[in-house]
Amino acid sequence: VGPGVCCTRMRAEGKKIKQVRIFLTPDAIFCVYDAESEEQIRDHATRAGMPCATVTTIAHEVQHDTSAK
């Protein structure tokens, strides 16, 4: 079952989890979630059959545009 289906099923169970963004590198996948707990994120990974080595809380996000205008 894919990640999107797993999130939909978990929300149907009353869990508040949303996959916000995924970053792919040649040797790793980084997923950003809006979830209530680390346990929910690990549960999602297990259901989707994906590894989850580390869960890190994002304290702040800085967005900026460095393109010339």
Side-chain angles (χ1 to χ4, degrees):
V1 177
V5 173
C6 290
C7 277
T8 300
R9 288 180 181 173
M10 291 175 75
R11 284 192 298 270
E13 296 169 6
K15 296 178 177 148
K16 295 179 182 175
I17 183 168
K18 176 182 173 188
Q19 193 170 42
V20 177
R21 192 170 282 157
I22 301 172
F23 298 94
L24 305 173
T25 69
D27 57 352
I29 300 171
F30 298 91
C31 300
V32 178
Y33 290 91
D34 183 0
E36 292 182 311
S37 68
E38 179 178 333
E39 180 182 342
Q40 282 185 351
I41 294 168
R42 292 191 181 279
D43 182 25
H44 177 266
T46 299
R47 292 180 189 213
M50 302 182 325
C52 182
T54 305
V55 175
T56 303
T57 300
I58 298 172
H60 302 282
E61 179 180 5
V62 177
Q63 294 183 352
H64 61 281
D65 183 355
T66 60
S67 63
K69 298 204 178 199

